[in-house]
């Protein structure tokens, strides 16, 4: 089984917290976590684009937004059922709409966490 790679914004306190939870849940070490903010690892696409949305590479395919989260969930046994449900286009569409709503409030949440 190939490892899943995810890219995240390590300067974002909200992102750091979420990735910390995912690292604890990833007991099998199935995910490579790459902090884009510190420039570690290889950036397969533009760094600004990686910072604007959550990205993952699953089986050589770049994913972003809800699809990237779903790939990460599939790699973690506890969350795998949710990730598998997201293979359904309707479910993934609903998750993407929620993700886009989150992106609109992310700057305010980030500011609040930094205080």
């Amino acid at each position: 089984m190939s490892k899943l790679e995810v890219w995240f914004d390590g300067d974002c306190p909200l992102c750091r917290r979420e990735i910390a939870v995912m690292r604890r849940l990833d007991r099998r070490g199935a995910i490579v976590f790459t902090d884009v903010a510190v420039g570690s690892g290889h950036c397969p696409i533009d760094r600004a684009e990686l910072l604007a949305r959550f990205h993952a590479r699953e089986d050589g395919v770049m994913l972003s937004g809800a699809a990237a989260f779903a790939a990460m969930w599939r790699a973690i046994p506890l969350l795998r059922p949710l990730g598998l449900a997201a293979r359904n286009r309707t479910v993934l569409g609903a998750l993407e709409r929620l993700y886009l709503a989150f992106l609109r409030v992310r700057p305010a949440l980030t500011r609040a966490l930094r205080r």
Side-chain angles (χ1 to χ4, degrees):
M1 176 155 90
S2 64
K3 288 201 178 210
L4 174 78
E5 186 167 8
V6 301
W7 289 266
F8 69 98
D9 181 358
D11 282 342
C12 168
L14 191 61
C15 302
R16 280 194 315 268
R17 287 179 183 191
E18 172 138 19
I19 293 301
V21 169
M22 294 298 120
R23 280 185 168 134
R24 282 193 300 276
L25 292 174
D26 181 27
R27 293 188 179 129
R28 299 178 308 145
I31 305 170
V32 174
F33 296 96
T34 302
D35 182 350
V36 179
V38 298
S40 67
H42 170 71
C43 289
I45 60 176
D46 180 68
R47 186 174 179 271
E49 190 177 338
L50 282 173
L51 288 168
R53 285 177 59 93
F54 186 71
H55 286 81
R57 182 169 33 216
E58 180 182 45
D59 298 326
V61 177
M62 283 299 292
L63 305 166
S64 72
F69 276 100
M72 183 170 61
W73 299 335
R74 284 190 292 274
I76 297 172
L78 180 67
L79 301 175
R80 186 169 172 77
L82 183 58
L84 291 173
R87 289 193 188 268
N88 176 286
R89 293 168 68 205
T90 303
V91 173
L92 185 59
L95 289 170
E96 182 65 20
R97 285 188 296 282
L98 289 170
Y99 181 71
L100 292 173
F102 162 76
L103 287 180
R104 287 192 291 278
V105 298
R106 179 183 168 202
L109 290 171
T110 300
R111 283 190 301 278
L113 286 172
R114 283 195 173 129
R115 290 185 201 142

